[in-house]
Each structure stands twice: as C-alpha cells, then as structure tokens.
Amino acid sequence: MGNLGKREQYYLMLLGIVVVVLVIYFFGIRNLGYKYEDLCNERTQLEEQLAYYEALKTQNDETLAQINALKTSIAEVEGQFLPLICAESIEQYVLKTFEDAGCVYLVSAQAEDITPAGISLPDGTPSTDNLLIKRITVQYSTTDGFNIPDYNRSNTVVVDGMVDEAAWNALLDEMYWHGSASIVGYDEFLDALETIEAENPDCIKINSIGIQAEGGYILMTASIDFYSATFNYRVSEADTSAPYVTWAGSTNINCDGGIIGRPFIIDDPNSEWFNTLMSNEEATEGERAFSTYYSSNIFEEAVNGSDLLTVLNIDGAAVAQPGDEVPED
C-alpha cells in the first residue's frame, strides 16, 4: 500500500467506498425495500379483510333487523290464538257471561273437541303445526210469563225438610198471566252472545245459534268455538276485514209486531195475531227447565182440568180461541 502512488490510493479508497455502498445496498437497503413491499402487500390484504368484515357487519345489522321484524310478526299471529285450551275455564267463562247478562235459566252445557282438516305446507307435505278447537254448546230457556221462575233454588219452599206454607202460598199467588212483556231471557241471551263475540274476535267465534219455540217459552241454543294452536313456525297473519269473515248483512230491519217464539197469548197490540190464545195441548208441552219443580206441574194440571184462557184469567178481552181463523200475515 505504501508503494502505491496517491492516485492509486485514491482509487483504492474509492473502490472501498463503492464496495461498502454495494454491501449496504445488497444486505440492507434492498432487503428493506423488499420488506416494505411485503408490508404494503400485508396492509392491502388487511384493508381488504377490514372491508369484508365491515360488509359482514352491515349484513348482520340488516339480518338482525329482519329477525326482529319476524319476531314481531310471529308475536302478532300468536296473539290471535288462545295460548292453551282448558275446557273448564272456557265453560266457566261462557256460563258466567250469560249469567252476568241476565240469561240464567240454563238447560244444558257441553264441551267437545272439533277436529279440523290437516295443515299442508306449500310443497304438499303435512305440517307439524296443529289447530286446536274447543266447542262449547249451551242451551238456555226464557220464562213464560206465568209459571214461577227458579234460579239456584231461589224459590224453594222447603225449609229444614218442611214445607213453608206461607212461602208456598205467596208463590202460588204469583201464578197468573203477567203479560208477554214479562217474559225474560231472549234479549239477555243475545246480549251475552254479543259480549262473547266482542271479547276476542281472533280466537272466539260464534259457530251457530238456534231458537226453538215451546209451550209459551223459548229454548235458545248457541255453539261457540275457541281456537288455539301448537305452532313451530308462524308465518301468516289472518285478515278478518273481508265481508265473508266479518258480518256485513242487513241491519235496522223493522220487526214491529213480529213474534219470536209464541207466548200463551199474544198481547202485543201491534201484532196481527193480537189476543190469539195458544191451545191447551201446546201450552202444556215441554219440561219448563226454567221453573220450579212444582210450578209446571200445577200449571199443566190446571190447563188440562179446564182450559188455558181460564188459567190465565184474562177478562174483558176478545181472545181468539185455537181453531179460530187467524189473520193472514
């Protein structure tokens, strides 16, 4: 090195610097460049993953909103059915509703299960969901305006196993024709049905109503359906706004002078059958479930022993006897 001239020494120094720079580049700067590229690529991948997860988050929010909306719809449909069927509770509710309305002369009450048609899915396969229907059928009686009504033995004359003669005579004094306006039960029957119908129109339906005229009184029958269900999936909501679902028939029909169930004597002056008397045979028909056990027996024997007009004790009226010509409607 000492034998070299200054120029050679400068060249060697320059060569050394070049070598050092090359070493630094190859083993330092270039590797840093590669690492930077890797970091840029990793950053790009992470940004793509972040965008993916952000999209998933948005989809999850939308899915959650859809799930909540479906839960709300399911709850609305579930509310259209009774949560369970308990025949005793349903029958008790029906009887109490009639009693509260003043329709108290119960003849019979029964409960039965109604088997509906099976539910099929859109693909034709049977559904695991089930519809449950419990039908309550009740029959009530009106009074007849003559015999003594009895509700829960309210008019018993037996006290401590003995007949209370004063009570007995007082009740017998009440056995006379009080007029057809005194006949109770029909309007109360309709009031009870209206109350039941309005209670829960989604799951309580009046199935049928029947009226049967007896000897001066009326037997009234109603069948009421209560709906429940066992659902695994509930995807529909009943629409009761259609006219074939909700009653849309004629109203405010003039029925003045009409008759629903024939009384012993028609004392409505608006009626075409005013003062028309029922025959003895018709007047003594039926078991009179509304009356005391002795009242109907006394009435039947009195009518059969004389005639209905005498028993009703109506004076000063031009009463049409059975067999007389009846005005045309």
Side-chain angles (χ1 to χ4, degrees):
M1 186 76 179
N3 296 326
L4 296 175
K6 288 187 178 292
R7 180 179 295 178
E8 287 80 4
Q9 291 179 359
Y10 289 140
Y11 285 144
L12 288 174
M13 291 176 61
L14 181 60
L15 180 60
I17 292 171
V18 172
V19 171
V20 171
V21 170
L22 290 174
V23 170
I24 292 173
Y25 172 75
F26 282 106
F27 295 98
I29 295 176
R30 191 176 68 169
N31 288 339
L32 287 175
Y34 290 154
K35 186 175 183 180
Y36 174 77
E37 290 178 2
D38 292 339
L39 291 174
C40 287
N41 291 334
E42 183 179 357
R43 181 178 181 277
T44 300
Q45 292 176 358
L46 292 174
E47 287 178 342
E48 291 175 351
Q49 290 182 10
L50 177 60
Y52 171 74
Y53 288 123
E54 288 289 348
L56 283 182
K57 179 177 179 298
T58 301
Q59 293 178 1
N60 287 339
D61 291 340
E62 294 175 354
T63 302
L64 181 60
Q66 293 175 357
I67 291 174
N68 291 333
L70 289 175
K71 286 182 177 179
T72 300
S73 298
I74 291 173
E76 291 175 353
V77 174
E78 289 175 345
Q80 296 179 7
F81 295 86
L82 291 176
L84 54 89
I85 289 289
C86 178
E88 295 84 355
S89 298
I90 293 173
E91 187 171 297
Q92 177 179 276
Y93 160 75
V94 171
L95 297 183
K96 185 177 186 304
T97 301
F98 278 95
E99 183 173 353
D100 290 345
C103 187
V104 298
Y105 302 114
L106 176 66
V107 178
S108 64
Q110 65 179 16
E112 61 178 319
D113 292 319
I114 304 300
T115 304
I119 302 174
S120 298
L121 298 177
D123 60 0
T125 59
S127 173
T128 57
D129 301 334
N130 293 300
L131 181 62
L132 307 176
I133 306 175
K134 181 72 70 174
R135 177 170 295 169
I136 306 296
T137 301
V138 293
Q139 186 176 65
Y140 285 86
S141 174
T142 68
T143 60
D144 61 11
F146 186 96
N147 285 274
I148 303 168
D150 188 34
Y151 170 63
N152 283 349
R153 297 182 61 81
S154 58
N155 281 327
T156 182
V157 295
V158 178
V159 180
D160 296 330
M162 301 293 293
V163 174
D164 186 334
E165 291 188 6
W168 167 261
N169 291 327
L171 287 175
L172 291 184
D173 289 342
E174 291 297 315
M175 291 188 66
Y176 60 87
W177 176 240
H178 294 268
S180 59
S182 67
I183 296 176
V184 298
Y186 179 75
D187 291 337
E188 293 78 3
F189 180 78
L190 296 182
D191 289 342
L193 289 178
E194 289 180 357
T195 299
I196 292 173
E197 185 179 39
E199 177 70 23
N200 192 335
D202 289 327
C203 62
I204 303 176
K205 304 291 184 182
I206 306 298
N207 178 268
S208 65
I209 302 172
I211 302 294
Q212 179 179 342
E214 295 292 336
Y217 62 97
I218 305 173
L219 291 178
M220 306 163 294
T221 305
S223 293
I224 306 155
D225 292 343
F226 292 78
Y227 289 81
S228 183
T230 56
F231 282 160
N232 293 319
Y233 303 100
R234 304 170 187 201
V235 295
S236 63
E237 181 177 354
D239 181 9
T240 59
S241 62
Y244 48 83
V245 176
T246 302
W247 170 250
S250 301
T251 58
N252 300 321
I253 298 175
N254 185 2
C255 296
D256 291 345
I259 302 174
I260 300 178
R262 186 181 176 186
F264 292 137
I265 183 171
I266 300 175
D267 52 8
D268 181 1
N270 295 316
S271 175
E272 295 291 337
W273 291 270
F274 178 54
N275 273 344
T276 301
L277 187 69
M278 183 180 291
S279 69
N280 295 344
E281 291 76 14
E282 288 179 295
T284 56
E285 288 179 353
E287 297 180 355
R288 303 187 190 280
F290 65 89
S291 69
T292 58
Y293 63 92
Y294 53 84
S295 176
S296 59
N297 289 337
I298 294 174
F299 172 75
E300 185 172 344
E301 290 181 4
V303 172
N304 291 333
S306 57
D307 57 69
L308 179 61
L309 182 60
T310 301
V311 173
L312 296 183
N313 192 25
I314 299 175
D315 296 326
V319 177
Q321 298 286 345
D324 293 347
E325 184 177 352
V326 177
E328 295 183 0
D329 187 1

